[in-house]
Amino acid sequence: QVQLVESGGGLVQPGGSLRLACVGSGFTFSWHAMRWYRQVPGKQRAFVARISSHGEEIDYGDSLEGRFIISRDNAKNTVYLQMNSLKPEDTAVYYCKADGYTTWGKGTQVTVSS
């Protein structure tokens, strides 16, 4: 079955950086576009970024382009999210998802605070 495992979250000061990773298994990773989302308790899950199956096309959510960079390494079945110039409002649980499946991982917590 499809499985996604996010990692790399943690506590970081405003202006700092984090690199998240999501490892997929149970499906042919290189056949699928991958997405990152984030969610704050009590609010809707928000789109962060999408990358096509081989990285040809990349899209970002509103106001995130320029600070966040999505990438992937199909040889490692991994999609990454490099987050720079982090702000307190970036605090959320970050999840990844593969296009074509409804499976979600447990997410990884990102907290931006001084």
Side-chain angles (χ1 to χ4, degrees):
Q1 65 273 19
V2 174
Q3 186 176 26
L4 300 168
V5 180
E6 301 95 339
S7 64
L11 175 64
V12 63
Q13 293 184 328
S17 298
L18 283 174
R19 186 194 189 210
L20 308 184
C22 170
V23 178
S25 61
F27 65 103
T28 305
F29 188 86
S30 64
W31 290 3
H32 295 266
M34 298 294 297
R35 299 172 182 257
W36 284 98
Y37 292 84
R38 65 186 184 184
Q39 188 169 31
V40 176
K43 297 185 178 180
Q44 289 188 325
R45 184 169 53 207
F47 171 74
V48 173
R50 176 187 185 271
I51 184 168
S52 62
S53 60
H54 292 276
E56 311 96 332
E57 299 177 350
I58 293 174
D59 297 287
Y60 294 97
D62 292 344
S63 79
L64 297 179
E65 189 167 5
R67 294 195 300 122
F68 288 12
I69 303 171
I70 188 171
S71 63
R72 66 190 295 160
D73 185 343
N74 287 342
K76 297 180 179 179
N77 285 1
T78 302
V79 60
Y80 302 94
L81 185 68
Q82 177 69 44
M83 305 186 295
N84 301 315
S85 301
L86 284 164
K87 305 174 181 179
E89 50 263 46
D90 294 320
T91 296
V93 178
Y94 285 72
Y95 301 90
C96 69
K97 191 182 83 69
D99 280 9
Y101 298 103
T102 59
T103 301
W104 299 87
K106 296 184 182 297
T108 185
Q109 175 72 51
V110 172
T111 302
V112 185
S113 176
S114 60

